[in-house]
Amino acid sequence: MKKIKKQLTTFAILAGLMLGIKDGYVALWKDEDPQPYRIFPVRADSLPIADQLQLKRGIYIESVDQLMQLVDDYL
């Protein structure tokens, strides 16, 4: 988990990021790239409905702290 957080922190500083859903899993996109940067081993349907709806719309990451909080929440 620490390795993932360190990679994501470095990555967040360098690029605009968005969390969403890809093939039923929580995924992270960079700069509107059509392919996710990372797909997490978390099924979106295992999350509360409110979180699923947010992820379906896309959660744009505004800070490293926000990214770390969301990763902690979902993983």
Side-chain angles (χ1 to χ4, degrees):
M1 181 63 135
K2 286 184 180 185
K3 183 178 178 181
I4 289 174
K5 284 185 179 183
K6 184 175 181 180
Q7 289 173 345
L8 292 176
T9 299
T10 301
F11 187 69
I13 293 169
L14 301 174
L17 301 175
M18 183 194 75
L19 275 176
I21 299 172
K22 173 72 173 175
D23 298 330
Y25 289 88
V26 176
L28 181 68
W29 279 266
K30 170 188 161 190
D31 292 328
E32 300 181 23
D33 188 337
Q35 294 299 319
Y37 167 73
R38 180 178 296 263
I39 298 175
F40 296 100
V42 177
R43 292 215 34 96
D45 60 8
S46 70
L47 300 172
I49 296 294
D51 291 338
Q52 291 178 45
L53 293 173
Q54 284 184 322
L55 287 166
K56 283 181 185 179
R57 283 185 241 124
I59 302 172
Y60 290 90
I61 307 302
E62 297 177 6
S63 69
V64 172
D65 290 337
Q66 180 189 14
L67 176 61
M68 293 301 101
Q69 181 62 51
L70 289 168
V71 168
D72 282 343
D73 289 349
Y74 295 150
L75 300 180

